[in-house]
């Protein structure tokens, strides 16, 4: 009992002391927490820090850098809300403290450990974009976040750079001997030294000027991938790869019979011409386009895809084969049979006034094989008594027309119904000997014996024409004109004609062709690799007579491919060719093509007329109206959102540097090299005029500047002539 009372007394004492000797529990300690606790911050960037205060309702803090409220220019500054901005240059001591101090209790603070580092450089453009092997030259690297002391790395080789400004470096580099593609990076000095993202720079054995010219002649226009292939591997290697590439002509759809429009084919043509994924066989497609302008079949008479698609497949299939096979395949193709009236061409019946149709026989000799006048081996016309010498006479046309009688649409069972009008565009025409003229025939001095079948007469007639001395120079000149130049010299024609006759052509140890006369690969390689074709690959060897006007289709495709264009090829792009001069693809107005290979530029069009007429086939489409359409349509390509809904160009690489006034000259020079082979300096005032126009566009609109420069270059007369 006494102990219980003692406990009660102690409790009262404790209660008395607690209640009377204190106002409450001791105050909670104020603490500050800063996040992130550590950070690496690069010059040019910012870092947001956050602070939370415990132990008080007042969350306000004061921010300092290395003990200086708000920081300074040496170590960086920090705003009242904790946004840290590093100094313009990393200080020698690059470890700093960012501190938050409680306003409620100045003894309560916490610091974040900050490491300052140089920025990671950004590389957006290199000029020149290629390096010749073993060459030493000064390059410009344009991008951003460059600092003094930066290094340019070309592969593993390191070269010191000169800082022009934070977006522009120059460096003198030496390319390795071996061609290939190297990664170029920029590394800012320590601290950190993280390299930029890499930009691919080809080390070339073919200079860019030469590669651009070669691809303008052999494709629908240079693009980056094919430029790199030619520059690093050489022209011969490119041709070899192209001759082995699978054809993309199977993309042409054959719709159900009865469709009388080619609208579905136009998009495929332009997709093959423009899109990398569909146009890997650029050379084949380019040669097919040339052959389609020699062996003309047009929508104005053959408008059914079931006929036109097999015809295109014949041209693409034979583009790298043999010209003799092309002659026969086209002759028996139903599209040509319909276009030039060979199908159902019956033997003569003079008693009833029936004659063999001469249409195909005439054009076959005049336009497709040997031409109307005898030629020398160099392609120049033979002259006797001051006049041309005809290659053939009317009797030859009539005899060849008779040799072509008795062919109709497949299958052969329909011969019982000859003439068969149950058209079949997908299979070669078949012979019906009962309707073939079996009398003897004399063609170009060769006799086709009596009693031969339709196939026997066809074979012997084609062989006779194939062996004619006119064929090699005639075909050589036509292919040179379509691919390289309107005015080839007699030596150039001779060289190509010899490759055609021999079926083989050699360049730098690479042999093209199989030794069979008429081999197309030998012919094409000779056209593209002849010294005259390559004249101009070096500026000092350029000849003002070389080249040709870019016909509308090639003008359009070259521009779009140069600027990384892609298309879904709606009919918008198709009608541009028509608007620019009437070149509505697959819609030639006649068998003579959109323009005549014999068209000479009128002397009146020259300020100083040349001593002899200059051939200019494509100029037949060039009028005051079409010249305006060209520049207006190209403006549409560059600026119009309507056009870009279906076909888009990509000028982002140029726009990336166009915002800086000091880099505009580099942008224009790069376009000059890519589009004009670096010849802008040949035209006084052109570069200055373009720079003036581009500078007038606000630097806040770099894409507008890039579009303006591109438009002015490609609409110039200098670009419209492919040299």
């Amino acid at each position: 009992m006494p102990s219980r009372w003692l406990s009660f007394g102690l409790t009262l004492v404790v209660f008395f002391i607690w209640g009377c000797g204190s106002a409450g529990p001791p105050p909670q300690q104020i603490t500050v927490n800063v996040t992130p606790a550590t950070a690496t911050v690069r010059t040019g960037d910012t870092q947001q820090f956050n602070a939370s205060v415990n132990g008080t309702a007042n969350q306000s803090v004061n921010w300092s850098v290395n003990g200086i409220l708000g920081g300074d220019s040496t170590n960086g500054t920090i705003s009242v809300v904790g946004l840290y901005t590093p100094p313009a240059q990393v200080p020698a001591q690059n470890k700093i403290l960012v501190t938050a101090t409680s306003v409620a209790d100045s003894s309560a603070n916490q610091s974040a450990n900050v490491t300052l580092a140089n920025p990671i450089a950004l590389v957006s453009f290199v000029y020149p974009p290629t390096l010749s092997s073993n060459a030493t030259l000064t390059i410009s690297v344009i991008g951003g976040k460059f600092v003094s002391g930066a290094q340019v790395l070309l592969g593993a080789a390191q070269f010191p750079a000169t800082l022009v400004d934070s977006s522009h470096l120059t460096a003198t580099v030496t390319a390795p001997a071996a061609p290939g593609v190297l990664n170029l990076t920029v590394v800012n000095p320590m601290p950190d030294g993280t390299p930029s993202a890499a930009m691919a720079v080809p080390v070339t054995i073919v200079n860019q000027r030469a590669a651009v010219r070669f691809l303008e002649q052999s494709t629908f226009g240079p693009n980056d991938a094919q430029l790199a292939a030619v520059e690093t591997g050489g022209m011969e290697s490119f041709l070899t790869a192209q001759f082995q590439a699978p054809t993309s002509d199977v993309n042409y759809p054959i719709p159900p019979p009865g469709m009388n429009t080619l609208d579905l084919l136009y998009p495929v043509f332009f997709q093959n011409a423009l899109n990398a994924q569909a146009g890997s066989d650029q050379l084949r497609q380019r040669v097919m386009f040339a052959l389609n302008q020699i062996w003309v079949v047009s929508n104005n008479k053959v408008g059914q895809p079931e006929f036109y698609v097999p015809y295109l497949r014949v041209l693409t299939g034979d583009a790298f084969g043999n010209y003799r096979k092309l002659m026969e395949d086209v002759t028996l193709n139903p599209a040509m049979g319909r276009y030039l009236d060979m199908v159902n061409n019956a033997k003569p019946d003079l008693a009833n006034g029936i004659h063999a149709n001469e249409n195909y026989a005439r054009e076959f000799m005049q336009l497709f094989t040997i031409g109307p006048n005898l030629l020398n081996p160099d392609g120049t016309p033979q002259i006797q008594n001051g006049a041309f010498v005809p290659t053939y006479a009317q009797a030859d046309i009539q005899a060849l027309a008779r040799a072509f009688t008795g062919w109709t649409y497949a299958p052969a069972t329909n011969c019982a119904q000859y003439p068969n009008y149950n058209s079949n565009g997908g299979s070669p025409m078949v012979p019906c000997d009962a309707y073939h003229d079996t009398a003897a025939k004399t063609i170009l001095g060769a006799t086709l014996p009596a009693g031969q079948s339709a196939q026997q007469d066809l074979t012997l007639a084609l062989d006779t024409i194939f062996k004619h001395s006119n064929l090699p120079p005639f075909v050589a000149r036509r292919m040179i004109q379509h691919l390289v130049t309107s005015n080839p010299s007699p030596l150039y024609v001779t060289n190509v004609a010899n490759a055609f006759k021999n079926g083989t052509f050699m360049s730098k140890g690479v042999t093209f062709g199989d030794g069979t006369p008429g081999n197309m690969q030998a012919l094409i390689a000779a056209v593209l690799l002849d010294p005259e074709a390559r004249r101009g690959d070096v500026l000092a060897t350029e000849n003002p007579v070389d080249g040709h006007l870019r016909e509308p289709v090639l003008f359009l495709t070259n521009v779009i491919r140069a600027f990384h264009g892609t298309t879904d090829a709606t009919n918008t792009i198709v009608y541009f060719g028509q608007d620019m001069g009437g070149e509505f693809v697959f819609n030639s107005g006649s068998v003579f093509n959109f323009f005549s290979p014999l068209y000479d530029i009128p002397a009146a069009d020259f300020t100083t007329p040349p001593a002899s007429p200059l051939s200019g086939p494509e100029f037949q489409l060039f009028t005051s109206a079409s010249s305006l359409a060209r520049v207006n349509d190209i403006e549409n390509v560059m600026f119009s959102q309507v056009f870009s809904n279906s076909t888009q160009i990509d000028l982002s690489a140029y726009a990336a540097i166009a915002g800086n006034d000091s880099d505009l000259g580099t942008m224009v020079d790069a376009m000059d090299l890519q589009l004009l082979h670096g010849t802008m300096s040949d035209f006084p005032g052109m570069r200055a005029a373009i720079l003036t126009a581009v500078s007038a566009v606000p630097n806040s609109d770099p894409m507008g500047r890039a579009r303006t420069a591109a438009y002015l270059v490609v609409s110039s007369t200098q670009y419209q002539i492919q040299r």
Side-chain angles (χ1 to χ4, degrees):
M1 192 65 158
S3 62
R4 185 179 300 170
W5 283 105
L6 178 60
S7 175
F8 177 72
L10 290 173
T11 301
L12 289 175
V13 172
V14 171
F15 176 78
F16 179 81
I17 294 172
W18 179 263
C20 298
S22 173
Q28 184 177 349
Q29 184 179 1
I30 296 176
T31 60
V32 178
N33 182 52
V34 174
T35 56
T38 61
T40 297
V41 185
R42 302 180 185 278
T43 57
D45 296 338
T46 59
Q47 174 65 53
Q48 179 66 53
F49 290 96
N50 297 294
S52 59
V53 182
N54 301 315
T56 177
N58 187 351
Q59 293 291 304
S60 299
V61 296
N62 291 318
W63 291 96
S64 61
V65 180
N66 278 3
I68 299 175
L69 185 66
D72 60 18
S73 60
T74 301
N75 297 300
T77 60
I78 192 163
S79 70
V80 294
V81 294
L83 182 65
Y84 173 71
T85 301
Q89 293 184 337
V90 178
Q93 175 51 258
N94 71 318
K95 306 288 186 180
I96 64 167
L97 295 176
V98 169
T99 304
T101 301
S102 171
V103 171
D105 182 356
S106 61
S107 66
N109 61 74
Q110 189 178 65
S111 298
N113 294 302
V114 177
T115 300
L116 298 179
N118 278 316
I120 299 175
L122 302 173
V123 176
S124 58
F125 205 83
V126 178
Y127 181 82
T130 63
L131 306 174
S132 297
S133 60
N134 271 333
T136 298
L137 74 163
T138 299
I139 64 172
S140 290
V141 182
I142 297 173
K145 299 188 176 182
F146 301 148
V147 301
S148 180
Q151 301 278 320
V152 170
L153 272 70
L154 194 60
Q158 198 167 31
F159 303 93
T162 299
L163 182 70
V164 179
D165 56 44
S166 62
S167 65
H168 193 164
L169 296 174
T170 62
T172 300
V173 302
T174 300
V181 179
L182 293 179
N183 285 330
L184 182 146
T185 57
V186 172
V187 178
N188 282 328
M190 296 295 290
D192 189 65
T194 301
S196 68
M199 176 162 285
V201 176
V203 177
T204 69
I205 55 176
V206 176
N207 68 65
Q208 184 173 353
R209 174 189 172 94
V212 168
R213 291 187 71 250
F214 175 77
L215 288 171
E216 286 177 336
Q217 296 161 355
S218 59
T219 72
F220 284 97
N223 66 10
D224 289 348
Q226 290 176 333
L227 269 174
V230 174
E231 290 164 346
T232 61
M235 299 176 186
E236 291 76 12
S237 176
F238 178 83
L239 289 182
T240 298
Q242 285 289 298
F243 286 142
Q244 296 171 352
T247 178
S248 57
D249 75 311
V250 293
N251 295 324
Y252 286 102
I254 300 181
M259 180 174 285
N260 293 317
T261 174
L262 301 185
D263 287 351
L264 295 178
L265 306 190
Y266 306 136
V268 179
F269 172 84
F270 280 99
Q271 286 169 344
N272 286 343
L274 296 175
N275 296 342
Q277 65 272 23
S280 59
D281 61 335
Q282 275 279 300
L283 179 61
R284 182 187 294 274
Q285 297 296 327
R286 182 72 179 81
V287 171
M288 179 277 285
F289 184 57
L291 292 174
N292 189 226
Q293 294 181 289
I294 298 172
W295 297 81
V296 174
V297 165
S298 176
N299 182 42
N300 65 14
K301 190 172 180 181
V302 184
Q304 300 79 15
E306 62 178 308
F307 275 76
Y308 214 102
V309 170
Y311 185 70
L312 294 177
R313 291 182 177 178
V314 163
L315 298 183
T316 53
D318 289 343
F320 295 163
N322 192 283
Y323 204 81
R324 171 61 178 82
K325 184 175 186 300
L326 175 69
M327 290 165 60
E328 184 157 346
D329 288 346
V330 171
T331 297
L332 298 183
N333 183 271
M336 182 60 82
R338 174 176 288 188
Y339 187 61
L340 291 181
D341 308 313
M342 181 181 156
V343 67
N344 297 323
N345 184 19
K347 62 185 178 182
D349 181 356
L350 300 183
N352 291 305
I354 298 174
H355 299 269
N357 191 296
E358 300 172 4
N359 200 12
Y360 182 64
R362 178 181 295 102
E363 309 306 356
F364 183 82
M365 291 192 289
Q366 178 185 2
L367 300 176
F368 306 158
T369 55
I370 56 178
N373 301 310
L374 286 178
L375 303 175
N376 295 309
D378 62 6
T380 58
Q382 296 185 20
I383 304 295
Q384 292 183 5
N385 300 320
F388 295 133
V389 181
T391 307
Y392 50 83
Q394 177 62 22
D396 295 299
I397 296 174
Q398 292 172 333
L400 185 59
R402 290 164 50 216
F404 286 157
T405 56
W407 293 87
T408 191
Y409 297 116
T413 54
N414 287 327
C415 285
Q417 303 170 358
Y418 193 97
N420 170 27
Y421 295 108
N422 295 320
S423 58
N424 175 3
S427 300
M429 293 187 294
V430 295
C432 295
D433 287 334
Y435 299 92
H436 174 66
D437 183 344
T438 58
K441 309 164 188 72
T442 300
I443 301 172
L444 303 175
T447 298
L448 280 59
Q452 292 199 127
S453 67
Q455 182 63 64
Q456 288 172 324
D457 267 359
L458 178 77
T459 299
L460 190 53
L462 296 187
D463 285 345
T464 298
I465 294 172
F466 180 73
K467 294 174 184 177
H468 193 279
S469 62
N470 262 29
L471 186 69
F474 179 89
V475 175
R477 183 177 177 85
R478 290 293 182 271
M479 291 301 293
I480 291 170
Q481 285 188 310
H482 279 289
L483 298 180
V484 177
T485 180
S486 296
N487 292 275
S489 70
L491 178 60
Y492 188 4
V493 174
T494 299
N495 292 341
V496 176
N498 285 338
F500 182 93
K501 286 189 294 185
N502 299 329
T504 186
F505 177 81
M506 179 176 286
S507 177
K508 296 182 179 178
V510 179
T511 300
F512 299 96
D514 60 3
T516 304
N519 182 273
M520 290 294 291
Q521 294 187 25
L523 171 75
I524 295 163
V527 168
L528 296 172
L529 298 177
D530 187 84
E532 190 165 321
R534 305 281 40 92
R535 182 171 67 188
D537 285 354
V538 177
L539 182 58
T541 65
E542 188 175 67
N543 189 314
V545 176
D546 290 344
H548 57 83
L549 177 70
R550 298 181 199 266
E551 61 194 88
V553 168
L554 295 182
F555 178 48
L556 192 60
T557 60
N558 270 257
V559 170
I560 296 173
R561 281 175 63 84
F563 296 125
H564 314 102
T566 58
T567 185
D568 60 13
T570 60
N571 286 342
T572 302
I573 191 173
V574 176
Y575 292 114
F576 270 39
Q578 182 182 25
D579 190 45
M580 289 181 181
E583 192 172 34
F584 187 5
V585 66
F586 304 151
N587 285 265
S588 173
S590 75
V591 72
F592 294 95
N593 187 30
F594 298 102
F595 45 84
S596 168
L598 303 178
Y599 181 79
D600 289 335
I601 303 173
D605 290 353
F606 292 93
T607 303
T608 303
S612 57
L614 281 179
S615 179
E618 295 84 359
F619 275 98
Q620 193 169 14
L621 303 180
F622 196 76
T623 65
S624 298
S626 67
S627 66
L628 291 175
R630 281 175 173 247
V631 295
N632 289 337
D633 289 343
I634 286 301
E635 181 183 29
N636 203 341
V637 171
M638 294 298 167
F639 293 100
S640 171
Q641 294 303 308
V642 174
F643 182 84
S644 65
N645 286 339
S646 63
T647 302
Q648 297 182 348
I649 59 172
D650 181 5
L651 292 170
S652 58
Y654 293 107
I657 66 173
N660 190 336
D661 289 350
S662 65
D663 294 334
L664 290 181
T666 300
M667 180 184 72
V668 172
D669 290 342
M671 288 188 182
D672 175 26
L673 186 59
Q674 180 183 15
L675 300 166
L676 300 178
H677 318 148
T679 61
M680 193 178 289
S681 59
D682 291 350
F683 307 98
M686 181 177 181
R687 184 178 186 272
I690 292 175
L691 282 173
T692 298
V694 172
S695 299
V697 180
N699 59 12
S700 59
D701 182 16
M703 182 58 75
R705 285 181 156 191
R707 292 182 187 278
T708 298
Y711 165 69
L712 291 173
V713 172
V714 301
S715 63
S716 68
T717 56
Q718 291 86 338
Y719 179 76
Q720 293 186 57
I721 300 295
Q722 176 187 308
R723 288 185 171 85

